[in-house]
Amino acid sequence: RFADGIAALAEAGVTRFVEVGPDGSLTALAREVLEEAGETAVVVAALRARQSEPEAFAAFLGRAHTAGIGVDWPAFYAGSGARAIPLPTYAFQRERYWLLPRAAAGDAAAAGQARLDHPLLVAAVQVGDRDEWLLTGRLSLEAQPWLADHTVLDTVLVPGAALTELALAAGRQVDAPVVEELILQAPLPLPVGEAVQLQVTVAEADENGHRDIAIYTRPQATEPGVRPESTCHARGRLGSEVESPGLPFPVLWPPEGAVAVPVDGLYERLAE
């Protein structure tokens, strides 16, 4: 009648149960009975069969203490050299050792934009009642530290492949997934400790289904009312179908007479 006894104790107001023995089998049974009865109580075991006795007993005393059961701590620490120290009079003072959290993208829907699942572009919005689109994001070495892998002459540059990916992402958003043309107009540097706002504009489709695209950035404004100047880094054209040039692909590859060009040390030679 173990279950009846535990239930009767709980109904009488007992909220703390301690199993003093070599294992915690009765603890598990008592906890199950209390849960079925909808009672809230603390159930702890002094020892566990497959745990070190000193560690299990110390954990038991800690749980009992937090549950309001009196523990003779001076007796527990007797002979260890431990001593009590006064708590600080202020609330909390601490030093963080964890990695700082990355900058959050924010709630694009709250700003009237569609959320994008992309490492650089965060949101997209349709311009008025026209079939024009604006895709936005924010670039910084803090939010995208992997961009620092592309450094030229001690300057971090967003690679051209990343700009091409921005165009492809914009094309997928407007059902024009083919980048038919993309002309790089200016490099996109990322200063250390600063952020830039990213904008990708997509125009309406013409009669052939082509859309003009442009990629802009501007420095992150730090003061209200300041409008930093924008820079266009690339312009191009999107399409929905791959146009074949009408020429057969060469069967022999590499072509006859081709010479392999080594690319080892390319950036070092460019720097020189």
Side-chain angles (χ1 to χ4, degrees):
R1 306 205 49 195
F2 177 78
D4 294 336
I6 295 296
L9 289 173
E11 292 177 0
V14 177
T15 59
R16 293 168 296 186
F17 294 82
V18 177
E19 179 177 356
V20 182
D23 200 359
S25 57
L26 297 181
T27 298
L29 292 175
R31 186 178 293 115
E32 182 178 350
V33 171
L34 293 169
E35 290 177 354
E36 291 180 355
E39 301 289 345
T40 302
V42 176
V43 186
V44 293
L47 295 176
R48 296 288 184 177
R50 288 179 292 275
Q51 292 184 7
S52 165
E53 287 190 359
E55 293 181 3
F57 192 71
F60 154 71
L61 291 179
R63 292 197 60 190
H65 175 74
T66 58
I69 302 175
V71 177
D72 188 354
W73 291 113
F76 177 78
Y77 286 107
S80 66
R83 58 186 179 86
I85 59 174
L87 292 175
T89 56
Y90 45 85
F92 295 102
Q93 181 175 342
R94 59 189 181 273
E95 183 176 353
R96 295 184 180 273
Y97 292 93
W98 300 103
L99 296 175
L100 294 177
R102 298 284 172 83
D107 187 2
Q113 298 174 319
R115 182 79 170 86
L116 295 180
D117 184 15
H118 192 271
L120 299 180
L121 295 171
V122 175
V125 61
Q126 186 175 359
V127 180
D129 59 351
R130 303 188 300 274
D131 190 18
E132 299 178 7
W133 290 82
L134 175 66
L135 292 80
T136 61
R138 184 174 179 269
L139 300 180
S140 70
L141 293 178
E142 288 71 24
Q144 297 94 12
W146 48 269
L147 290 173
D149 293 340
H150 192 256
T151 302
V152 180
L153 295 178
D154 299 326
T155 301
V156 177
L157 295 178
V158 177
L163 299 180
T164 305
E165 165 58 27
L166 293 176
L168 287 169
R172 292 192 294 268
Q173 179 68 22
V174 298
D175 294 328
V178 179
V179 178
E180 297 186 352
E181 181 181 78
L182 191 67
I183 300 174
L184 305 183
Q185 297 189 181
L188 202 172
L190 281 183
V192 178
E194 299 181 17
V196 296
Q197 296 175 343
L198 174 65
Q199 293 184 348
V200 180
T201 62
V202 182
E204 289 184 319
D206 60 15
E207 61 275 7
N208 296 320
H210 297 148
R211 293 174 177 267
D212 291 333
I213 184 175
I215 301 174
Y216 297 88
T217 64
R218 66 176 59 183
Q220 182 79 37
T222 57
E223 298 180 5
V226 177
R227 299 178 60 185
E229 184 177 355
S230 298
T231 301
C232 182
H233 300 280
R235 292 184 182 274
R237 184 177 64 178
L238 302 174
S240 57
E241 297 181 1
V242 179
E243 297 181 0
S244 173
L247 299 177
F249 191 83
V251 177
L252 178 63
W253 191 264
E256 189 175 346
V259 178
V261 178
V263 295
D264 297 338
L266 173 62
Y267 283 104
E268 289 78 2
R269 297 200 304 273
L270 290 175
E272 293 176 358

